[in-house]
Amino acid sequence: MAKALVERVLNEVGVKGEIVETFKGEELEGVRYVHILVEEYPAQKEFREKYEWAHRVILGEHVTLEDGTGLVHTAPGHGEEDFEIGQRYGLPVYSPLDDQGKYTEGKWKGIYVKEADPEIIEHLREKGYLVKAGEIEHKYPHCWRCKTPLIFRATDQWFLKVSKVKDKIIKENDEKVTWYPDWVKVRYDNGVMNSGDWVISRQRYWGIPLPIWQAEDGEIYVVGSFEELVKLAVAIEVNGERIDLPESYEEKLRVIEERLGPEDLHRPYVDAFIIKVNGKEMKRVKDVVDVWFDSGIASWASLDYPRNKELFEKLWPADFIVEGEDQVTKWFYSQQAASVIAFDTVPYRAVAMHGYVLDEKGDKMSKSLGNIIRPEEVVQKEGRDPFRFYMLWATNPWENLRFSWKGLEQVKRMLNILWNVYVLSATYMSLDNFDPTKLKPEELPFRKEDRWILSRVNSLVGEVTEGIETFRLTKATRAIYNFVVEDLSRWYIRLIRKRMWVEGDDPDKLAAYYTVWKVFDVLLRLMAPFTPYIAEEIYQNLLRPFTGVESVHMLDWPKADEKAIDGELEREMEYVRKIVEAGSSARQKARIKLRYPVRRIIIETEEETVKKAVERLNRLLKDQLNAKEVAVGKVERELIIKPNFAKVGPEFKGDAKLVSQWISEHGRELYEKGEVDVEIEGKTFHLTREHITVEEKLPDFLVAEEFEGGRVFVDKTLTRELLAEGVAREFVRRIQEMRKRLDLDVNDRIVVAIETTDENRELLQENLDYIMRETRAVEVRFEEARGYVVEWPEVQAKIGIEKV
RNA sequence: GGGCCCGUGGCUCAGCCUGGUCAGAGCGCCCGCCUGAUAAGCGGGAGGUCCGGGGUUCGAAGCCCCGCGGGCCCA
């Protein structure tokens, strides 16, 4: 008995005892004991004589100190661990149970094991062998489907000796297969190393029958085809009746068809064949093949190989397979194992492993938890394209995805933005009967921003292509997402809107149209695999009339036009956007609305790229910042130096006041020298920059904001001219709002009447032409508002408009 | 018990391979702006012990080791 268990066991049994000797368990190895049921089971007597290690203590590492005594009974016929250790000691695999769980011999022959238990206990008690009987709770295997307890029983099975080709599998896999993500390969290799031979037989009815025929003496023959089966057949058994077959193949076939039916390589058809090999009659082994074997041969079975060799030679091995992470040691493996056995090589060239879809909280979706979201529901509520894009965009494919409706909303928003860009462009293009095939791009006056977005979209081709090729679909979809939202909508479209409003055959406008068209030409092809429907819809309307190709899905995958890529320009634009953002922020601080122009914006920077950007993209900056001038420069500012009381106080205590006063007067000197010894009222003080705080003071008319490459200063000096322009825009904006409320057509003309303050009137008069042009007004009068009248308290005005 | 993966603001995630660019985005929240893409759009702000602990390094969210929590597979 194990020392650690002595007390517990004695307690349980209710016996007093003491430890007389302690020694290692291994000293017991080989000690012979008498089997307690040796009389009831004659086979045990035989074992005792025939097997050296039968009924002896053996050693095993699977015995624990958690339950029992430290000694366990080993039954190699009823449990995997027992079987393995039994093999090590050369023990017989004894399993006197039939398929029903009933004893096949011995005292309890014919009785179901569980029913025999109490009888056996009673029997042992009578014989005086029983110390204690009781119940112990422990884990026990159950049927995964019907949940009934299982009884382990050693049986004869057919194996594929995969251990013989393991090294080959790993080697072939190493050399020929790319795994995405690459670390799955490690997982796979570990799995292969740990796996044993493959049990391919199953005692079922449905399935692929094992093509093995066996003679009474055990000799086997594996039949390779229906034709071979017929050739070897000497008889068939139909309804228990043996029908001997004629000699010739054709006649055999006729008899078989007549008595058994047409060719069918399933049970019970194949079971009927009795073949003759080496002069012995053989019958089929009744087992069917493990379904994992079916899956293992999928790569060629699906090509109808070996019956059809043509497809196989053309398509095999497969380029790519994809499955969930539970299949690493299952389908990915069954295919390689079967293929290496059959062809000495692996059946695919790339594997992609994906994770699962979990619910929002990260729990597995399951019926019992009631957290299942059906794909159909998602498709119906949000659409196929958003769903598809979302799945690839939300997390890396190999990671688990926490499904979130909000995430889906976000993707929808992006697609909506794309749709808006398309609608806007298409509206203006069709108004102008835009036809890209009639234009010569080399003659169009492209602006910097046009070249920029073309550069960006070509860079995007590279990003998306790389993402797809390396299975980093999240990278690809995120690159598309950012391009659509940031580059195309938020920036490019914003920049070209005014150009699109120009009437007539303006080359500047055509350049913008052409650019947008070109961007869509590339972008739609990039998006086609991710959002096939929306890509196709836009393609049909915007591109197909000019490309003539029936569908976006029939176009070639785009190649990046290296000549169009201008990294320098992209970097400069990056800065321009940052400058505009900082400028807007500065305006917000100064409370100057974007409608009011500012006199000047100064950029302070050390970076060459920023300087170049300000120079080359100046028009763009002025436009977006609504500034009369944007320039790189240096802003003079005043330094305010104050004593740092937090330092000065504790250090100089009683003299702090004196020191502070000195700093207030001579701070500049200290700041410039860095440190200084000063004598005040006979005392010397050592002062450093630590003792001061430095603030920069800008001139009152400037407001500053930092950005990554420097600082932006907005000159907020408001001249009368600037004010007049701002006010004009205020009114234009409101008249436009009214036009919209009246649902006027873009081309409708109006008459405007304004009642407002004298101040406003004078200011407005300075920009009357501008107001009329922008609002399509034939006249602006300062008189009683008529027609559609709205009062606008924010600008102290009452405006009336009438359509003419 | 073993192998592999994941753990970053309230939420969902980038970044990690190839250490250094104040740690990024979206959603939500707060404050603004713009408006002939309009039942849209844009900007700004607040908000983070980068799971914990050691180590390597001039420097670690990132590399190494040990834990903790979750997922998958195997035993």
Side-chain angles (χ1 to χ4, degrees), chain A residues 63 270 372 407 451 478 504 622 626 741 782:
Chain A
V63 187
V270 281
I372 288 184
R451 300 201 185 281
R478 283 177 189 231
K622 285 200 295 199
N626 195 14
R741 287 190 206 168
F782 292 95

Side-chain angles (χ1 to χ4, degrees), chain A residues 280-379:
Chain A
K280 295 173 213 165
E281 285 203 354
M282 296 180 171
K283 285 189 170 184
R284 199 185 76 82
V285 167
K286 295 287 179 265
D287 298 347
V288 297
V289 178
D290 174 18
V291 286
W292 281 109
F293 186 82
D294 298 34
S295 75
I297 63 172
S299 68
W300 65 85
S302 58
L303 298 175
D304 200 23
Y305 181 87
R307 215 177 331 217
N308 180 344
K309 297 206 167 50
E310 200 184 314
L311 277 176
F312 180 80
E313 267 151 31
K314 208 166 126 193
L315 296 172
W316 199 90
D319 292 335
F320 172 79
I321 67 171
V322 58
E323 254 297 345
E325 67 175 310
D326 54 330
Q327 296 299 329
V328 173
T329 54
K330 297 223 165 92
W331 194 46
F332 297 154
Y333 171 66
S334 71
Q335 290 211 76
Q336 288 202 0
S339 178
V340 167
I341 291 169
F343 305 107
D344 276 330
T345 187
V346 285
Y348 48 75
R349 292 293 172 255
V351 188
M353 185 205 82
H354 64 75
Y356 296 117
V357 180
L358 308 176
D359 76 359
E360 214 143 14
K361 287 180 231 119
D363 292 327
K364 205 169 179 170
M365 290 191 189
S366 79
K367 276 187 205 157
S368 54
L369 284 173
N371 61 349
I372 288 184
I373 299 166
R374 291 167 47 247
E376 293 87 343
E377 185 188 344
V378 180
V379 167

Side-chain angles (χ1 to χ4, degrees), chain A residues 206-239:
Chain A
W206 302 103
I208 299 179
L210 268 183
I212 302 171
W213 269 256
Q214 193 165 30
E216 298 241 313
D217 67 359
E219 186 177 341
I220 62 164
Y221 187 82
V222 177
V223 179
S225 69
F226 180 68
E227 198 187 342
E228 188 183 5
L229 180 61
V230 174
K231 274 186 188 156
L232 296 173
V234 289
I236 49 173
E237 251 178 14
V238 183
N239 297 328

